[in-house]
Amino acid sequence: KYNLHLKNTGQIIKVDPDNLPEAHDGLQGALLSLLLAAGVDVDHACGGVIACSTCHLYVNKGYDSAPPPIEAEEDQLDFAPAVNDHSRLACQCVPDGSQDVEVEIPAWNRNKVSEEH
Ligand code: FES
């Protein structure tokens, strides 16, 4: 079990890797599905199939607890603005629960997040 901390809102989501919410978009247990299940409206234009970069977010802490991005994810991240060393596509990043994770939704999605919380 680990805590998923959303830096933008201060929200802390408790995640049990043995009891994950059903993923409708992207990988089971990926950050996108965890955030959506907690009511955080993260953009995910392609529905979690690595065909956009709208689900881009920063994994500030716990980055190493998820398997590294596959090449297709790396390629999509090349199109995302303001990418840094902690950038991931939320629909593809599945933390293993060995560490707490802090994520931050980049600026262009931030208004949306703060309106809803
Ligand atoms: Fe399109 Fe994640 S939702 S790549």
Side-chain angles (χ1 to χ4, degrees):
K1 290 188 181 142
Y2 70 99
N3 289 328
L4 172 60
H5 181 197
L6 177 59
K7 189 174 181 199
N8 307 76
T9 62
Q11 197 170 343
I12 293 173
I13 300 160
K14 303 223 175 276
V15 183
D16 179 356
D18 293 328
N19 188 17
L20 292 167
E22 195 181 337
H24 300 286
D25 297 296
L27 299 179
Q28 178 81 8
L31 296 172
L32 178 67
S33 67
L34 302 174
L35 290 165
L36 291 176
V40 181
D41 190 12
V42 182
D43 272 351
H44 52 290
C46 78
V49 295
I50 329 183
C52 73
S53 58
T54 57
C55 67
H56 168 219
L57 46 65
Y58 304 124
V59 183
N60 294 336
K61 292 181 192 151
Y63 183 93
D64 294 335
S65 72
I70 62 170
E71 199 175 331
E73 180 179 345
E74 300 266 19
D75 289 348
Q76 278 301 333
L77 281 170
D78 285 343
F79 295 110
V83 172
N84 71 21
D85 287 350
H86 294 268
S87 289
R88 290 296 308 258
L89 294 179
C91 65
Q92 301 301 312
C93 179
V94 184
D96 65 9
S98 63
Q99 294 175 48
D100 284 347
V101 173
E102 181 188 276
V103 299
E104 181 178 358
I105 297 175
W108 58 92
N109 276 345
R110 244 174 223 160
N111 290 342
K112 200 164 163 189
V113 171
S114 53
E115 270 165 27
E116 287 169 21
H117 293 277

